[in-house]
PDB file of all heavy atoms in Angstrom:
ATOM      1  N   GLY J 288      83.342  82.082 137.619  1.00 97.00           N
ATOM      2  CA  GLY J 288      82.957  83.263 137.467  1.00 97.00           C
ATOM      3  C   GLY J 288      83.736  83.960 136.402  1.00 97.00           C
ATOM      4  O   GLY J 288      84.859  83.695 136.125  1.00 97.00           O
ATOM      5  N   PHE J 289      83.126  84.861 135.734  1.00 97.00           N
ATOM      6  CA  PHE J 289      83.873  85.631 134.720  1.00 97.00           C
ATOM      7  C   PHE J 289      85.194  86.244 135.259  1.00 97.00           C
ATOM      8  O   PHE J 289      85.337  86.431 136.503  1.00 97.00           O
ATOM      9  CB  PHE J 289      83.057  86.641 134.036  1.00 97.00           C
ATOM     10  CG  PHE J 289      82.043  86.278 132.921  1.00 97.00           C
ATOM     11  CD1 PHE J 289      80.983  86.975 132.564  1.00 97.00           C
ATOM     12  CD2 PHE J 289      82.271  84.972 132.231  1.00 97.00           C
ATOM     13  CE1 PHE J 289      80.098  86.456 131.609  1.00 97.00           C
ATOM     14  CE2 PHE J 289      81.413  84.574 131.291  1.00 97.00           C
ATOM     15  CZ  PHE J 289      80.401  85.243 131.006  1.00 97.00           C
ATOM     16  N   GLU J 290      86.157  86.598 134.286  1.00 97.00           N
ATOM     17  CA  GLU J 290      87.407  87.226 134.714  1.00 97.00           C
ATOM     18  C   GLU J 290      88.256  86.337 135.631  1.00 97.00           C
ATOM     19  O   GLU J 290      88.977  86.688 136.425  1.00 97.00           O
ATOM     20  CB  GLU J 290      87.227  88.590 135.448  1.00 97.00           C
ATOM     21  CG  GLU J 290      86.533  89.549 134.424  1.00 97.00           C
ATOM     22  CD  GLU J 290      87.219  89.854 133.232  1.00 97.00           C
ATOM     23  OE1 GLU J 290      88.503  89.746 133.224  1.00 97.00           O
ATOM     24  OE2 GLU J 290      86.602  90.071 132.234  1.00 97.00           O
ATOM     25  N   GLY J 291      88.119  85.047 135.223  1.00 97.00           N
ATOM     26  CA  GLY J 291      89.062  84.013 135.840  1.00 97.00           C
ATOM     27  C   GLY J 291      88.918  83.652 137.194  1.00 97.00           C
ATOM     28  O   GLY J 291      89.969  83.400 137.928  1.00 97.00           O
ATOM     29  N   VAL J 292      87.615  83.726 137.785  1.00 98.00           N
ATOM     30  CA  VAL J 292      87.437  83.259 139.215  1.00 98.00           C
ATOM     31  C   VAL J 292      86.867  81.919 139.346  1.00 98.00           C
ATOM     32  O   VAL J 292      85.989  81.392 138.467  1.00 98.00           O
ATOM     33  CB  VAL J 292      86.255  84.318 139.776  1.00 98.00           C
ATOM     34  CG1 VAL J 292      86.159  83.918 141.307  1.00 98.00           C
ATOM     35  CG2 VAL J 292      86.948  85.746 139.701  1.00 98.00           C
ATOM     36  N   GLN J 293      87.337  81.155 140.242  1.00 98.00           N
ATOM     37  CA  GLN J 293      86.833  79.854 140.514  1.00 98.00           C
ATOM     38  C   GLN J 293      86.897  79.548 142.065  1.00 98.00           C
ATOM     39  O   GLN J 293      87.750  79.977 142.731  1.00 98.00           O
ATOM     40  CB  GLN J 293      87.744  78.739 139.960  1.00 98.00           C
ATOM     41  CG  GLN J 293      87.335  77.274 140.148  1.00 98.00           C
ATOM     42  CD  GLN J 293      86.173  76.883 139.296  1.00 98.00           C
ATOM     43  OE1 GLN J 293      86.217  77.053 138.070  1.00 98.00           O
ATOM     44  NE2 GLN J 293      85.067  76.387 139.957  1.00 98.00           N
ATOM     45  N   VAL J 294      85.786  79.067 142.599  1.00 98.00           N
ATOM     46  CA  VAL J 294      85.785  78.523 144.052  1.00 98.00           C
ATOM     47  C   VAL J 294      85.279  77.116 143.917  1.00 98.00           C
ATOM     48  O   VAL J 294      84.489  76.704 143.163  1.00 98.00           O
ATOM     49  CB  VAL J 294      84.887  79.559 144.776  1.00 98.00           C
ATOM     50  CG1 VAL J 294      83.301  79.349 144.376  1.00 98.00           C
ATOM     51  CG2 VAL J 294      84.982  79.328 146.331  1.00 98.00           C
ATOM     52  N   ALA J 295      85.728  76.431 144.966  1.00 98.00           N
ATOM     53  CA  ALA J 295      85.269  75.033 145.122  1.00 98.00           C
ATOM     54  C   ALA J 295      85.535  74.731 146.648  1.00 98.00           C
ATOM     55  O   ALA J 295      86.431  75.153 147.404  1.00 98.00           O
ATOM     56  CB  ALA J 295      86.143  74.032 144.259  1.00 98.00           C
ATOM     57  N   ALA J 296      84.650  73.708 147.097  1.00 98.00           N
ATOM     58  CA  ALA J 296      84.673  73.369 148.544  1.00 98.00           C
ATOM     59  C   ALA J 296      84.270  72.016 148.826  1.00 98.00           C
ATOM     60  O   ALA J 296      83.240  71.416 147.947  1.00 98.00           O
ATOM     61  CB  ALA J 296      83.966  74.318 149.435  1.00 98.00           C
ATOM     62  N   LEU J 297      84.750  71.278 149.665  1.00 98.00           N
ATOM     63  CA  LEU J 297      84.359  69.817 150.030  1.00 98.00           C
ATOM     64  C   LEU J 297      83.566  69.845 151.289  1.00 98.00           C
ATOM     65  O   LEU J 297      83.657  70.764 152.106  1.00 98.00           O
ATOM     66  CB  LEU J 297      85.689  69.067 150.146  1.00 98.00           C
ATOM     67  CG  LEU J 297      86.392  68.875 148.782  1.00 98.00           C
ATOM     68  CD1 LEU J 297      87.881  68.572 149.061  1.00 98.00           C
ATOM     69  CD2 LEU J 297      85.822  67.651 148.178  1.00 98.00           C
ATOM     70  N   PRO J 298      82.859  68.727 151.466  1.00 98.00           N
ATOM     71  CA  PRO J 298      82.000  68.568 152.724  1.00 98.00           C
ATOM     72  C   PRO J 298      82.747  68.849 153.993  1.00 98.00           C
ATOM     73  O   PRO J 298      82.090  69.047 154.939  1.00 98.00           O
ATOM     74  CB  PRO J 298      81.349  67.223 152.552  1.00 98.00           C
ATOM     75  CG  PRO J 298      81.454  66.918 151.086  1.00 98.00           C
ATOM     76  CD  PRO J 298      82.659  67.614 150.615  1.00 98.00           C
ATOM     77  N   ASP J 299      83.968  68.535 154.085  1.00 98.00           N
ATOM     78  CA  ASP J 299      84.664  68.566 155.331  1.00 98.00           C
ATOM     79  C   ASP J 299      85.228  69.968 155.559  1.00 98.00           C
ATOM     80  O   ASP J 299      86.080  70.276 156.534  1.00 98.00           O
ATOM     81  CB  ASP J 299      85.838  67.634 155.354  1.00 98.00           C
ATOM     82  CG  ASP J 299      86.910  67.757 154.335  1.00 98.00           C
ATOM     83  OD1 ASP J 299      86.850  68.771 153.576  1.00 98.00           O
ATOM     84  OD2 ASP J 299      87.999  67.053 154.290  1.00 98.00           O
ATOM     85  N   GLY J 300      85.066  70.994 154.707  1.00 98.00           N
ATOM     86  CA  GLY J 300      85.477  72.395 154.908  1.00 98.00           C
ATOM     87  C   GLY J 300      86.561  72.767 154.173  1.00 98.00           C
ATOM     88  O   GLY J 300      86.966  74.005 154.153  1.00 98.00           O
ATOM     89  N   ARG J 301      87.439  71.832 153.502  1.00 98.00           N
ATOM     90  CA  ARG J 301      88.408  72.259 152.643  1.00 98.00           C
ATOM     91  C   ARG J 301      87.910  73.091 151.471  1.00 98.00           C
ATOM     92  O   ARG J 301      86.894  72.681 150.931  1.00 98.00           O
ATOM     93  CB  ARG J 301      89.206  70.954 152.096  1.00 98.00           C
ATOM     94  CG  ARG J 301      90.112  70.279 153.140  1.00 98.00           C
ATOM     95  CD  ARG J 301      90.591  69.063 152.523  1.00 98.00           C
ATOM     96  NE  ARG J 301      89.682  68.053 152.418  1.00 98.00           N
ATOM     97  CZ  ARG J 301      89.833  66.946 151.655  1.00 98.00           C
ATOM     98  NH1 ARG J 301      90.950  66.711 150.810  1.00 98.00           N
ATOM     99  NH2 ARG J 301      88.786  65.944 151.389  1.00 98.00           N
ATOM    100  N   ALA J 302      88.499  74.135 151.044  1.00 98.00           N
ATOM    101  CA  ALA J 302      88.147  74.983 150.023  1.00 98.00           C
ATOM    102  C   ALA J 302      89.238  75.668 149.397  1.00 98.00           C
ATOM    103  O   ALA J 302      90.266  75.837 149.905  1.00 98.00           O
ATOM    104  CB  ALA J 302      87.121  75.890 150.713  1.00 98.00           C
ATOM    105  N   VAL J 303      89.028  76.045 148.052  1.00 98.00           N
ATOM    106  CA  VAL J 303      90.043  76.765 147.307  1.00 98.00           C
ATOM    107  C   VAL J 303      89.283  77.900 146.527  1.00 98.00           C
ATOM    108  O   VAL J 303      88.108  77.839 146.291  1.00 98.00           O
ATOM    109  CB  VAL J 303      90.622  75.861 146.335  1.00 98.00           C
ATOM    110  CG1 VAL J 303      91.332  74.670 147.049  1.00 98.00           C
ATOM    111  CG2 VAL J 303      89.761  75.482 145.196  1.00 98.00           C
ATOM    112  N   ALA J 304      90.052  78.968 146.332  1.00 98.00           N
ATOM    113  CA  ALA J 304      89.488  80.119 145.470  1.00 98.00           C
ATOM    114  C   ALA J 304      90.707  80.619 144.776  1.00 98.00           C
ATOM    115  O   ALA J 304      91.834  80.565 145.112  1.00 98.00           O
ATOM    116  CB  ALA J 304      88.899  81.178 146.375  1.00 98.00           C
ATOM    117  N   VAL J 305      90.396  80.824 143.470  1.00 98.00           N
ATOM    118  CA  VAL J 305      91.355  81.262 142.477  1.00 98.00           C
ATOM    119  C   VAL J 305      90.819  82.492 141.627  1.00 98.00           C
ATOM    120  O   VAL J 305      89.757  82.816 141.421  1.00 98.00           O
ATOM    121  CB  VAL J 305      91.615  80.172 141.371  1.00 98.00           C
ATOM    122  CG1 VAL J 305      92.477  80.447 140.275  1.00 98.00           C
ATOM    123  CG2 VAL J 305      92.134  78.874 142.085  1.00 98.00           C
ATOM    124  N   LYS J 306      91.688  83.368 141.546  1.00 98.00           N
ATOM    125  CA  LYS J 306      91.559  84.539 140.695  1.00 98.00           C
ATOM    126  C   LYS J 306      92.640  84.691 139.654  1.00 98.00           C
ATOM    127  O   LYS J 306      93.942  84.789 140.120  1.00 98.00           O
ATOM    128  CB  LYS J 306      91.382  85.851 141.445  1.00 98.00           C
ATOM    129  CG  LYS J 306      91.583  87.141 140.689  1.00 98.00           C
ATOM    130  CD  LYS J 306      90.361  87.270 139.650  1.00 98.00           C
ATOM    131  CE  LYS J 306      90.584  88.647 138.876  1.00 98.00           C
ATOM    132  NZ  LYS J 306      89.634  88.885 137.777  1.00 98.00           N
ATOM    133  N   ILE J 307      92.462  84.535 138.302  1.00 98.00           N
ATOM    134  CA  ILE J 307      93.477  84.796 137.249  1.00 98.00           C
ATOM    135  C   ILE J 307      93.432  86.185 136.878  1.00 98.00           C
ATOM    136  O   ILE J 307      92.414  86.685 136.418  1.00 98.00           O
ATOM    137  CB  ILE J 307      93.220  83.783 136.124  1.00 98.00           C
ATOM    138  CG1 ILE J 307      93.127  82.340 136.573  1.00 98.00           C
ATOM    139  CG2 ILE J 307      94.391  83.972 135.084  1.00 98.00           C
ATOM    140  CD1 ILE J 307      94.405  81.745 137.199  1.00 98.00           C
TER     141      ILE J 307
END
Side-chain angles (χ1 to χ4, degrees):
F289 278 159
E290 298 302 327
V292 181
Q293 179 76 55
V294 66
L297 291 153
D299 64 1
R301 286 175 291 162
V303 307
V305 171
K306 165 65 180 175
I307 305 300

